Amino acid sequence: MALIELIDISKSFDGELVLDEFNLKIEENEFITLLGPSGCGKTTTLRILGGFETPDTGRVMFQGEDITNLAPNKRQLNTVFQKYALFPHMNIAENIAFGLKISGKSKDYINDKIKYALKLVNLTGYEKRSVDSLSGGQQQRIAIARAIVNEPRVLLLDEPLGALDLKLRQEMQYELIRLKNELGITFLYVTHDQEEALTMSDKVVVMNQGYIQQMGTPEEIYNEPENAFVADFIGDSNIIDGIMLEDRVVKICGAVFPCIDEGFGRNKPVDVVIRPEDIIIGKPGQGIMDGVVTSNVFIGVHYEMCIQAGGFEWLAQNTTSYPVGTRVSIGVTPENIQIMHKPQSEDEEAISLDD
Amino acid sequence: MTNSGKNRNLKRIFSGPFLAFILCGTLVPMGVIAYYGLTDRSGAFTLSNIVAIATRSHAQALGLSLGLALISTIICLLLAFPLGLILKDSKLGRKGFMVFVFILPMWMNFLLRTMAWQVLLERNGIINLALKALGLPLLDIINTPAAVVLGMVYDYLPFMVLPIYNAMIKIDNSLIEAAYDLGAGKTAVLRKVILPLSVPGIVSGITMVFVPSLTTFAISTMLGGGKVNLIGNIIEQEFTVSSNWNLGAGLSLVMMVFIIISMALIEKFDREGEASVI
Ligand SMILES: Nc1ncnc2c1ncn2[C@@H]1O[C@H](COP(=O)(O)OP(=O)(O)OP(=O)(O)O)[C@@H](O)[C@H]1O
Ligand SMILES: [Mg+2]
């Protein structure tokens, strides 16, 4: 049985639908990430789980028990809020101790926990500091510490690393994963940073406008996006109109590419996704089509180039640099071409392409 | 001259009238009171006007004033805090309505409103007529300290409600949610989050009710009917009836000291309160 289950959750604010028949299962000990653009309903989902928002319809189940109407303080989960929500009238130690004091833990236990938590978030010795003497990133880490000391069954984290710089963010990502494995806490993580989602999660849920677009392991999401929205949102991609001529053959920009997808029918319009790092750049005539390099930027490790070919501007990444103006050929191995159905109706298109 | 220098000069010019007003309206009269308070009729220096507070009738009046002011402040606080909670959580429409109900009375002269209570509370006033009609026991509080406290609470309650309400709506809702999230029940949230964060409002509320209650003479005159003699009444009588400006001024100086001491106490309590929360 899943630890948490959201069943047919719908929620609207002022007549605007934010979540529509939302279904999600969270297994014990899973690190699951909600990923999506701003305003897609991630925080709302967390708030419904935390008990701060009641869904218009649908149920929230915890270990098979309906907790839809259970008060927030009775739920076995803790939240790291997007806006930190540290208590300004308490110092750092008191903030961290808040939940432990409520549950009546002993002084020694609380003091040990405070030390442990501060060490964990790299802020040892900050016990007596006041909240507003801390930077945004430090406050965010205290918010994490305040939640985990309670050892909840489930930890809800709403963009907990948003205010941190890259290095600290990576450190904290690592720490959070370690923490999760060590404490056996189930994590429901919210972010709009796709890289973060892909590195940390067991399962990624890509959301847009209150709908789940795709759910799967990071590899599945990255390598096999189910629609153009997911492909576009996860990393840079070339999303191109194509025509599936027959099984394993797709025509893109006038050129015929071999691929490995089947079952789309004959002469069907499709969306084709090709990752920039999968584009093979060669001498003119060596690939499938020829083109001209129109821009070249070094982005660390490799060069990101735009190549005008067949009326489309291809985004390509390569460790070799091809100067602007060079004539090159491009090719793609069949496994790296991802074919997707075009959205059937205009409605569906709006869902997948908006934002 | 630099731009900011110009700005500063400009500011100085604009603050001129206010400074002049403060000077003429506050500092000069205070100097005059100090002069009268520390001299006798012939203009010679004396402390007798100050020491006069120790005479039995004066000390009694001062004690009564302190007592009634304290009682009304506490009643106002007990009424205003829950009211602030209700106002904080109510929807905007109701919020507007409630604020209206409490702000509106402030637009009417408070002497008029106090006089209205006089009419209501009189032995043959409206309240007693109604009680009599219902066959209930009559309310006999006019010209007693109880009536004066009622008047004080009625007149000064808005000054307690407003700062408390202001402090409460400034509390970020996410803090309250965070407290619930960490397992706190309603009372714990109230005690550990809302109350400590309302302290600044409570302190200014106490100041704004206690000080005018301590020095009032209008309320005690109208609702005390000359039987409730507060220190304010005595000072007023020295200035008007007895024309003894020196004694009136001397007692006023003593009152000023009392107010300053009370403020210091409240301030100290406030800081300790914050410290004990920490
Ligand atoms: N209390 C509320 N009242 C009215 N509208 C709300 C409320 N809470 C959320 N919304 C709306 O619901 C939508 C989803 O909001 P939500 O906070 O869930 O987005 P999000 O995915 O967390 O976005 P972000 O990444 O910016 O935090 C938004 O359009 C928002 O304006
Ligand atoms: Mg959000």
Side-chain angles (χ1 to χ4, degrees), chain A residues 43 82 158-159:
Chain A
T43 298
Q82 192 167 5
D158 200 348
E159 311 206 13

Side-chain angles (χ1 to χ4, degrees), chain A residues 13-14 16 18 37-44 82 159 192:
Chain A
F13 291 108
D14 316 318
E16 197 189 319
V18 173
S38 192
C40 72
K42 304 183 296 290
T43 298
T44 306
Q82 192 167 5
E159 311 206 13
H192 58 234

Side-chain angles (χ1 to χ4, degrees), chain A residues 9-150:
Chain A
I9 302 279
S10 295
K11 177 80 187 170
S12 48
F13 291 108
D14 316 318
E16 197 189 319
L17 207 55
V18 173
L19 290 177
D20 193 5
E21 308 258 314
F22 192 89
N23 281 284
L24 183 65
K25 268 187 196 171
I26 303 170
E27 301 295 336
E28 180 106 47
N29 241 327
E30 207 171 23
F31 194 126
I32 184 162
T33 299
L34 302 182
L35 175 66
S38 192
C40 72
K42 304 183 296 290
T43 298
T44 306
T45 311
L46 279 205
R47 288 175 60 77
I48 287 174
L49 253 174
F52 301 113
E53 217 70 80
T54 356
D56 299 338
T57 63
R59 283 171 301 150
V60 183
M61 310 294 281
F62 187 87
Q63 292 186 300
E65 239 176 274
D66 190 335
I67 59 160
T68 319
N69 296 312
L70 195 66
N73 53 332
K74 301 262 159 53
R75 301 188 181 199
Q76 295 179 45
L77 33 85
N78 283 129
T79 310
V80 178
F81 290 88
Q82 192 167 5
K83 290 183 291 178
Y84 328 144
L86 298 179
F87 303 119
H89 57 294
M90 301 181 188
N91 68 17
I92 296 307
E94 285 155 352
N95 262 284
I96 297 176
F98 191 92
L100 298 171
K101 276 190 194 149
I102 296 277
S103 57
K105 295 283 191 299
S106 78
K107 253 205 156 70
D108 289 342
Y109 179 88
I110 293 178
N111 285 336
D112 284 352
K113 274 283 179 190
I114 292 173
K115 278 224 173 58
Y116 162 80
L118 282 177
K119 184 153 178 264
L120 201 77
V121 296
N122 240 327
L123 291 173
T124 304
Y126 275 64
E127 280 92 342
K128 293 279 179 296
R129 292 278 292 268
S130 72
V131 170
D132 37 319
S133 76
L134 264 56
S135 74
Q138 290 170 332
Q139 291 190 22
Q140 210 158 38
R141 283 181 281 159
I142 296 300
I144 294 174
R146 183 178 67 175
I148 54 175
V149 287
N150 303 293

